[in-house]
Amino acid sequence: NSITTGYQNMVIGRQAGNSITSGSGNVIMGASAMAGSTSSTDNVAIGTQAAQNNTGNSNVMIGATAGRSNTGSSNVFIGYNAGNISSSRSNRLMIDNSNTATPLIDGDFSSDTLRIFGQLYAGKENLAATSSIFEIVNATGRSKFYRNTSVPSSGAAGDMTLTNISGVGSAYVHDGTANRELAKTIKAT
């Protein structure tokens, strides 16, 4: 251990945090977790080699090698190898189980954005024909998404309905007056 002026660190694991000299307020658990960090503060690194070479502050990195090469600050990396890209990215949320620039869940705290790289399912199985699958709520209102077996005759502006009638899938959006068809797919025969 080489801590000289650092304080309030909790370190558990072989070679964990062994290069810290002035870093403070870190929680480090796992073999070689934050082993290359010297002055990083207020980080949580849990997992073998998690945040191993981290130079940033205020990060949460959970999973073996999560954020291993991170140099940014205020990140949340969850999963094996999540955020393990040589990067100075800050204010990021990355959830995955691999070293990728397009994780399953990717967020940016500074712009309040969230991206899903994969399929997103919301709601429950066996919904009634008029049950909303999910809703999106923002400062200007609410949009509901429905799955129906017929074209709805009413709705609120912004509501979206996906239908499947005799093998023909269509997408409708309500404009405040009526549902307008956006797209149609026809099953090949």
Side-chain angles (χ1 to χ4, degrees):
N1 196 328
S2 56
I3 294 177
T4 54
T5 59
Y7 58 94
Q8 295 180 337
N9 292 295
M10 184 187 87
V11 181
I12 300 172
R14 185 174 186 272
Q15 295 184 336
N18 67 346
S19 296
I20 292 177
T21 56
S22 60
S24 300
N26 295 295
V27 175
I28 306 165
M29 298 172 67
S32 299
M34 284 186 68
S37 298
T38 58
S39 59
S40 297
T41 61
D42 301 319
N43 292 289
V44 174
I46 300 174
T48 301
Q49 297 180 352
Q52 185 176 31
N53 300 308
N54 176 56
T55 59
N57 301 309
S58 305
N59 293 295
V60 175
M61 297 173 230
I62 301 172
T65 68
R68 182 177 179 189
S69 301
N70 177 61
T71 60
S73 295
S74 302
N75 295 300
V76 177
F77 300 142
I78 300 173
Y80 171 76
N81 236 347
N84 185 14
I85 50 181
S86 189
S87 174
S88 60
R89 294 179 179 181
S90 292
N91 300 303
R92 297 295 298 271
L93 167 66
M94 297 178 93
I95 300 175
D96 205 292
N97 64 351
S98 66
N99 180 8
T100 178
T102 56
L104 179 62
I105 297 175
D106 185 17
D108 187 328
F109 294 115
S110 60
S111 64
D112 288 334
T113 58
L114 181 68
R115 291 181 291 184
I116 307 292
F117 291 97
Q119 296 180 5
L120 173 65
Y121 297 93
K124 59 186 177 181
E125 291 296 317
N126 301 319
L127 294 171
T130 58
S131 297
S132 63
I133 298 172
F134 63 93
E135 297 179 18
I136 297 176
V137 180
N138 60 31
T140 60
R142 174 184 314 252
S143 292
K144 293 182 181 181
F145 291 76
Y146 297 91
R147 179 182 65 191
N148 279 348
T149 55
S150 63
V151 179
S153 58
S154 63
D159 284 0
M160 180 173 228
T161 303
L162 306 175
T163 63
N164 184 345
I165 304 168
S166 302
V168 177
S170 297
Y172 297 87
V173 68
H174 201 285
D175 66 4
T177 303
N179 282 297
R180 307 294 181 197
E181 188 172 49
L182 297 176
K184 180 183 285 190
T185 60
I186 300 173
K187 183 178 176 181
T189 57

